[in-house]
Amino acid sequence: MEITTLKPSTMNWFYACKVTDVPANGGVCVKYGEEQIALFRFARRDTWYATQNLCPHKQQMALSRGMTGTQEGEPKIACPFHKKTFSLSDGRCLSDETECGITTYPVRIEEDHVYIGVHAG
């Protein structure tokens, strides 16, 4: 699986939820059509991240329930099942360079509403 980081200029932005729907320093799963997207709020950094919800190792929709944190300053998510860690910035696997990465999506906040950018087309 190739890592995909979508660029904001080629995006269709969809309304995901209200800011208050996402726990501080935690994540939720958002549905977009048939796709599941994990949305994370780093309250202590005042930043937001979105990735695929599917763990590439166990093929389970679980990343939104993982533990967030940082590794050498890099925001990360750890799968709740096997603890593999992935960069929330670019999707690469941080715990094993031979493992495949995950898709990341841009996030935009407007007036207490969270929007996620998905590939146009």
Side-chain angles (χ1 to χ4, degrees):
M1 174 187 276
E2 186 176 311
I3 296 172
T4 305
T5 301
L6 301 174
K7 306 290 185 239
S9 60
T10 61
M11 295 292 104
N12 283 333
W13 294 90
F14 75 92
Y15 171 75
C17 61
K18 293 181 181 178
V19 167
T20 55
D21 292 334
V22 183
N25 304 310
V28 296
C29 179
V30 176
K31 288 274 286 183
Y32 178 72
E34 296 298 314
E35 211 171 328
Q36 289 188 27
I37 297 174
L39 176 64
F40 303 98
R41 177 182 178 196
F42 271 56
R44 60 188 170 265
R45 292 177 135 193
D46 194 28
T47 54
W48 292 77
Y49 302 95
T51 70
Q52 69 187 48
N53 195 35
L54 180 69
C55 170
H57 180 250
K58 292 288 188 180
Q59 297 294 302
Q60 294 174 316
M61 296 294 187
L63 292 181
S64 63
R65 295 177 293 170
M67 188 158 43
T68 59
T70 58
Q71 182 173 324
E72 297 177 12
E74 180 74 23
K76 69 177 183 174
I77 183 66
C79 176
F81 293 111
H82 67 286
K83 307 303 183 238
K84 292 272 186 198
T85 57
F86 301 93
S87 165
L88 291 171
S89 297
D90 62 18
R92 74 187 184 283
C93 184
L94 298 173
S95 52
D96 183 351
E97 291 182 16
T98 63
E99 286 285 327
C100 54
I102 58 175
T103 300
T104 60
Y105 303 89
V107 179
R108 181 169 83 192
I109 308 299
E110 293 180 4
E111 298 180 16
D112 266 357
H113 292 99
V114 182
Y115 295 87
I116 298 173
V118 293
H119 186 30

